[in-house]
């Protein structure tokens, strides 16, 4: 066999194998904004839409379930229920009708945070529409994060900023609650304000953080920081790749082998 023939055979075989692999993928029908497509099962809604030919220039950010850019609504055949999901997290199911919501208009109050106190009236003044909530709970049903949105709004109405902050901690500001709200509230902006006030004015300061800031200011890390600053890119990369990582299952008492900078 000539070298030329050998070279030719390799890629051809690989290509055939790839084609076979592709043929083994099961395709399922989904409807994107009313149009039918066949997409491989197991894809996320986002990837399925891309497979179908859509290109995201909005409504897509982290692809990891944290930025809230990809709020999506869908229905399944024979089910009256309108369901919600993050397109980057939910996987396709046969015959789903999918539509991504665009950015949903929501006014954010303007304020100088430094001038705000922890008084509940601060929230009432900035977002008087808070009291338009009719407790229908549509917001909770629309939350892809499973947050008790209406309970958090109720807490705010009662002036309990700490509780609203705790309940809304997982909010990623996708705006699906706002798109369904009969009272026309922008819940996610209210929650953001609640968490800011809670973090800055209500919760007690972390002692270990204050201690660490003091240690940094006293210069304990100056030498190592200066050494790092002088390193070349490849040295830094090597150091980073060889670093000791804290095991996922590590307990509170875990310490690295080198404790010089603890
Ligand atoms: S793209 Fe960020 S949450 Fe889906």
């Amino acid at each position: 066999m000539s070298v030329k023939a050998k070279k030719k055979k390799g890629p051809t075989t690989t290509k055939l194998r790839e084609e076979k692999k592709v043929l083994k993928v099961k395709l399922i029908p989904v409807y994107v904004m009313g149009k039918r497509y066949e997409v491989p099962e197991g894809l996320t809604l986002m990837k399925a839409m891309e497979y179908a030919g859509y290109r995201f220039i909005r409504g897509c950010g982290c692809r990891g379930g944290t930025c809230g850019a990809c709020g999506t609504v869908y229905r399944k055949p024979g089910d009256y229920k309108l369901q919600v999901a993050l397109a980057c997290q939910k996987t396709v199911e046969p015959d789903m009708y999918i539509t991504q919501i665009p950015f949903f208009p929501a006014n954010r109050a303007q304020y100088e945070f430094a001038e705000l106190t922890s008084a509940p009236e601060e929230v009432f003044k900035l977002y008087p529409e808070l009291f338009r909530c009719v407790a229908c709970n549509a917001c909770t049903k629309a939350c892809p994060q499973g947050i008790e949105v209406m309970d958090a709004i109720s807490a705010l109405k009662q002036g309990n900023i700490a509780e609203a902050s705790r309940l809304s901690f997982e909010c990623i500001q996708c705006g699906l609650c706002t798109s369904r709200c009969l009272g026309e509230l922008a819940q996610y902006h209210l929650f953001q304000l609640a968490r800011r006030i809670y973090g800055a004015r209500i919760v007690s300061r972390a002692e270990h953080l204050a201690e660490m800031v003091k240690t940094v200011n006293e210069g304990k890390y100056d030498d190592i920081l200066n050494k790092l600053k002088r390193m070349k890119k490849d040295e830094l990369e090597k150091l980073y790749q060889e670093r000791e990582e804290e095991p996922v299952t590590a307990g509170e008492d875990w310490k690295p082998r080198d404790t010089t900078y603890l």
Side-chain angles (χ1 to χ4, degrees):
M1 190 180 290
S2 71
V3 174
K4 201 176 169 194
K6 257 188 199 168
K7 268 190 182 169
K8 233 182 162 183
K9 192 179 173 190
T12 310
T13 315
T14 311
K15 204 174 165 207
L16 277 174
R17 219 180 285 132
E18 275 170 8
E19 276 170 9
K20 270 190 193 162
K21 246 196 254 167
V22 170
L23 289 175
K24 269 188 201 157
V25 174
K26 190 177 164 198
L27 298 175
I28 57 171
V30 293
Y31 297 81
V32 182
M33 288 180 280
K35 188 161 189 246
R36 188 179 191 279
Y37 298 93
E38 301 242 318
V39 300
E41 70 176 352
L43 293 187
T44 60
L45 303 186
M46 187 170 273
K47 284 188 181 156
M49 281 189 259
E50 286 173 327
Y51 181 90
Y54 290 84
R55 185 170 151 245
F56 286 93
I57 51 171
R58 293 192 67 85
C60 170
C62 65
R63 291 176 181 259
T66 54
C67 79
C70 63
T72 303
V73 291
Y74 66 92
R75 273 198 167 100
K76 289 194 282 186
D79 189 356
Y80 74 91
K81 199 170 162 49
L82 183 68
Q83 313 227 41
V84 294
L86 296 175
C88 69
Q89 299 299 296
K90 172 81 187 158
T91 46
V92 279
E93 292 170 29
D95 295 315
M96 279 175 127
Y97 274 76
I98 308 162
T99 296
Q100 256 202 304
I101 62 157
F103 167 74
F104 209 84
N107 291 339
R108 182 183 168 280
Q110 299 295 308
Y111 50 82
E112 272 304 324
F113 188 75
E115 291 166 12
L116 294 187
T117 69
S118 62
E121 290 72 21
E122 302 279 22
V123 180
F124 304 162
K125 246 188 298 170
L126 289 166
Y127 291 102
E129 64 270 31
L130 171 64
F131 294 97
R132 287 174 49 83
C133 169
V134 293
C136 68
N137 212 23
C139 51
T140 303
K141 290 182 185 155
C143 180
Q145 294 290 87
I147 293 170
E148 292 295 336
V149 183
M150 190 190 77
D151 289 356
I153 288 294
S154 299
L156 275 182
K157 285 200 278 188
Q158 292 158 25
N160 193 341
I161 294 175
E163 180 65 355
S165 170
R166 187 187 68 77
L167 285 170
S168 70
F169 189 75
E170 304 277 326
C171 174
I172 53 171
Q173 317 223 131
C174 66
L176 280 164
C177 51
T178 298
S179 75
R180 305 286 290 151
C181 181
L182 286 182
E184 296 164 300
L185 272 66
Q187 290 87 341
Y188 61 96
H189 284 326
L190 276 146
F191 296 156
Q192 187 185 62
L193 176 61
R195 290 195 302 276
R196 283 181 173 164
I197 293 178
Y198 179 70
R201 310 271 186 271
I202 299 174
V203 74
S204 42
R205 304 281 93 193
E207 283 171 22
H208 66 284
L209 178 63
E211 267 170 40
M212 183 51 86
V213 171
K214 188 165 166 268
T215 313
V216 172
N217 287 337
E218 284 169 359
K220 179 170 178 182
Y221 302 101
D222 286 359
D223 285 350
I224 181 69
L225 285 172
N226 288 332
K227 196 173 154 201
L228 287 170
K229 279 196 234 165
R230 282 195 299 272
M231 276 186 185
K232 295 200 176 74
K233 189 173 166 239
D234 53 343
E235 286 176 311
L236 274 172
E237 275 175 2
K238 187 165 177 288
L239 195 65
Y240 179 76
Q241 274 149 13
E242 290 173 356
R243 76 197 184 283
E244 184 188 0
E245 284 189 67
E246 182 176 342
V248 187
T249 52
E252 287 292 309
D253 54 350
W254 181 84
K255 281 194 171 65
R257 280 188 293 274
D258 181 358
T259 57
T260 318
Y261 296 105
L262 286 187

